[in-house]
Amino acid sequence: MSAVALIALAGLWPFASGTDTPDPVPTVADAVPVEIVPGRPDPDSDPQKAADAYAAFLASPAAADETLRLTAMRRLADLRLDAAEAAVAEGRPADAMLAESVSLYEQLLSAPALTDAPSRDHWLYQLARAHAMAARTQAAEAALAALVNEYPGSPMAPEAWFRIGESRFASSDWAAAEEAYRATRDASAGGEFAEQAQYKLGWALFKQARHEESFPAFAAVVDARLAEKPLAEQDAAGRELVEDSLRAMAIGFAALDGPESVARWLDSVPSAAGWAWLAWARLGDLYRDNERWTDAAAAYA
């Protein structure tokens, strides 16, 4: 996300061909019935044709049926957003598709018949994605905030909180980012965003010069990573995560009482015993890089 959800593609509609008469406007009623058989692969689909068919239906008199209209809007919104994401990835213009998907999601969310629909958290999530792709960060954050406030138990809530935190962190609102990362960590509970939430929580506290408060968050990242395998055996991403956490802690220790801060903190965290030497070593490296030779020698010793 990233984390980004995959959108199920709609089925094909038949289109008339080989005649001189105008093609009829396809409607939902024209859809070919699809037999659902457990274990059978989904039928092939063309998302562009499906989207065009839904758009044609919404422009036809048949869209007066509210149930069919809302169903078509929901499917068209997802298809347009999926197409917009592909266009953005390929460097093609996507403004029109994003604007259409935003309009459709907003209509779905404001429809009286859908006030209690189980998909509202999905529509808010998709609305936030559309705004984010269009670089409307405030609108994206507003949609995510609505999601976590209205549906705190949604499976999309951890990612929504994390995206809110990232938006606030990017705007240097460290305290608000801290709040969002804490919420991500609590909602994720060991899930996909838990580690990144811990890591970014540490940095949000670090940015506020709340070093001692940042140590547990960074240490949790180091603990979890080094419990799996030694630092030398970590992949590039894992090694960078551990080293960045240790460096942030070293800066924090130096900003406090130096080696005394390390000793005091390590005494209070038994789980750090296995990698305590790394905390001392990175503090020594920091002092060495700043040509504080005596302090470096003390840390290394």
Side-chain angles (χ1 to χ4, degrees), residues 71 83 90 97 119 159 179 196 288 297 300:
T71 298
E90 296 170 4
M97 290 181 285
S119 297
E159 182 180 354
E179 176 188 18
Q196 279 296 313
R288 181 200 60 201
Y300 288 139

Side-chain angles (χ1 to χ4, degrees), residues 45-111:
S45 60
D46 183 329
Q48 183 60 54
K49 286 185 178 180
D52 291 344
Y54 285 125
F57 169 77
L58 289 172
S60 73
D65 184 304
E66 184 179 40
T67 300
L68 295 179
R69 177 173 57 83
L70 293 174
T71 298
M73 288 171 59
R74 173 175 59 81
R75 293 177 179 171
L76 178 59
D78 283 351
L79 287 167
R80 290 295 194 226
L81 184 57
D82 208 34
E85 184 178 35
V88 169
E90 296 170 4
R92 294 184 285 109
D95 292 351
M97 290 181 285
L98 290 173
E100 185 178 8
S101 62
V102 164
S103 176
L104 289 166
Y105 288 126
E106 289 179 340
Q107 291 179 63
L108 289 167
L109 289 164
S110 63

Side-chain angles (χ1 to χ4, degrees), residues 161-261:
W161 271 121
F162 186 75
R163 301 301 174 198
I164 291 171
E166 295 290 83
S167 175
R168 293 171 177 177
F169 195 92
S171 62
S172 302
D173 190 347
W174 316 123
E178 173 198 345
E179 176 188 18
Y181 292 133
R182 288 190 189 279
T184 306
R185 184 190 61 185
D186 295 344
S188 192
E192 181 181 359
F193 294 91
E195 182 181 60
Q196 279 296 313
Q198 283 280 29
Y199 175 70
K200 293 304 292 285
L201 172 60
W203 279 110
L205 292 163
F206 177 95
K207 291 288 190 178
Q208 298 173 73
R210 292 160 58 191
H211 297 297
E212 287 192 85
E213 292 178 70
S214 76
F215 296 156
F218 287 126
V221 174
V222 177
D223 265 342
R225 282 283 175 169
L226 297 187
E228 295 177 358
K229 60 183 67 174
L231 183 59
E233 296 177 16
Q234 294 282 330
D235 59 20
R239 187 180 184 90
E240 183 178 3
L241 202 64
V242 171
E243 290 288 8
D244 281 352
S245 298
L246 290 168
R247 183 172 182 276
M249 294 177 71
I251 295 171
F253 288 135
L256 296 170
D257 301 319
E260 293 181 11
S261 298

